[in-house]
Amino acid sequence: MDLGNHSVILEFILLGMSADPHVQALLFVLFLGIYIMTLMGNLLMLLVVRADSHLHTPMYFFLSHLSFLDVCLSSATVPRLLANLLSQRKTISVGSCLAQVFFLCESGGTEACLVSVMAYDRYVAICHPLLYGQMMSNQLCKGLVWGSWGLGFLDAFINILLAMNLDFCGDDSIPHYSCELPSLFPLSCSDVSTNLIILFCSSILHGIGTCFLIVYSYILIVSTILSISSSSGRSKAFSTCSSHLIVVLLFFGSAILRYLMPISGSPLELIFSVQYSVVTPLINPSSIA
């Protein structure tokens, strides 16, 4: 493409959440605390599941992978956010920016698939308890987990491969605290129509598709729970699913809105990103265990 008089951008400026130094200091303390608790909670979950042989079950097998993904998802954004809150020069190279996009898409996409797998696991446990061991075999569990990783990688690889062919020129400011594909497209002087179509299709198939599977699984679960004659049994079954479902809906709702809503630089975009990439990894271990 002929760039004319435009100079090619080699690095971006992450504008972050606020330009006020006092607000930045408060945000640094807040996000540092969240990040430390996220690491401690998820790493502790990994250690407990690995150490206790009684937890070597399909549910905790999935949960250990989810905890690892939460560490990856949070680490893809929060360290850069913390560094920028302390730095006067809030720049990131184009290569580092695209790398952050890839790891964010890979970990987020894999988590979406894995959470749908966990919803299926709960469906089998509640709706077919006598067949649980047979239906959730060790081979199937491993296949579902590695399939989730594979789909997440494929989604991230396709989108980042197209993004690597873009030329960036003109404005170099990203009104965000991290690099995300929707924020990069307005900065490109290349034709991004193909990128937008692929991102839209992958968001529909990868995000809404897995969300549909989760909702469908929980419809069957609720239907089974309501058929339980014992009120204590219904309460116990609901308690094991309600907190998980709330966190899942928050994760999917914020992620889908972030990637499908028109790019406007609105504060809502920051809120949605914080919700799915910072807050959800913090509360997942306690809500899904």
Side-chain angles (χ1 to χ4, degrees), residues 52-112:
D52 191 345
S53 60
H54 295 93
L55 299 181
H56 293 175
T57 62
M59 184 183 74
Y60 283 97
F61 174 69
F62 297 140
L63 184 58
S64 62
H65 279 267
L66 182 67
S67 293
F68 179 73
L69 278 168
D70 282 332
V71 171
C72 294
L73 182 60
S74 183
S75 297
T77 56
V78 179
R80 169 65 66 172
L81 168 61
L82 295 175
N84 284 348
L85 287 172
L86 292 180
S87 174
Q88 294 294 326
R89 182 174 172 80
K90 308 178 188 301
T91 59
I92 182 172
S93 68
V94 172
S96 297
C97 188
L98 292 176
Q100 187 178 51
V101 168
F102 174 81
F103 287 113
L104 187 60
C105 289
E106 156 67 3
S107 53
T110 303
E111 179 157 331

Side-chain angles (χ1 to χ4, degrees), residues 16-18 22-40 73-75 77-86 176-178 267 269-282:
M17 298 182 176
S18 174
H22 300 290
V23 175
Q24 288 183 1
L26 291 175
L27 290 175
F28 177 83
V29 173
L30 173 63
F31 285 109
L32 178 61
I34 290 176
Y35 186 56
I36 291 174
M37 288 188 291
T38 298
L39 292 181
M40 291 179 61
L73 182 60
S74 183
S75 297
T77 56
V78 179
R80 169 65 66 172
L81 168 61
L82 295 175
N84 284 348
L85 287 172
L86 292 180
H176 208 280
Y177 63 85
S178 66
E269 295 175 6
L270 294 174
I271 294 173
F272 291 147
S273 293
V274 169
Q275 174 62 56
Y276 83 83
S277 66
V278 179
V279 177
T280 302
L282 170 66

Side-chain angles (χ1 to χ4, degrees), residues 119-171:
Y120 173 73
D121 173 71
R122 295 194 174 215
Y123 155 74
V124 175
I126 293 176
C127 300
H128 304 283
L130 298 180
L131 299 175
Y132 182 77
Q134 180 181 348
M135 294 178 68
M136 299 303 296
S137 64
N138 185 51
Q139 184 178 0
L140 176 62
C141 292
K142 290 181 178 179
L144 291 172
V145 165
W146 296 122
S148 298
W149 278 100
L151 288 174
F153 175 83
L154 182 62
D155 181 34
F157 179 76
I158 293 174
N159 279 285
I160 203 63
L161 192 63
L162 292 172
M164 289 173 64
N165 293 321
L166 296 178
D167 293 309
F168 298 97
C169 56
D171 189 9

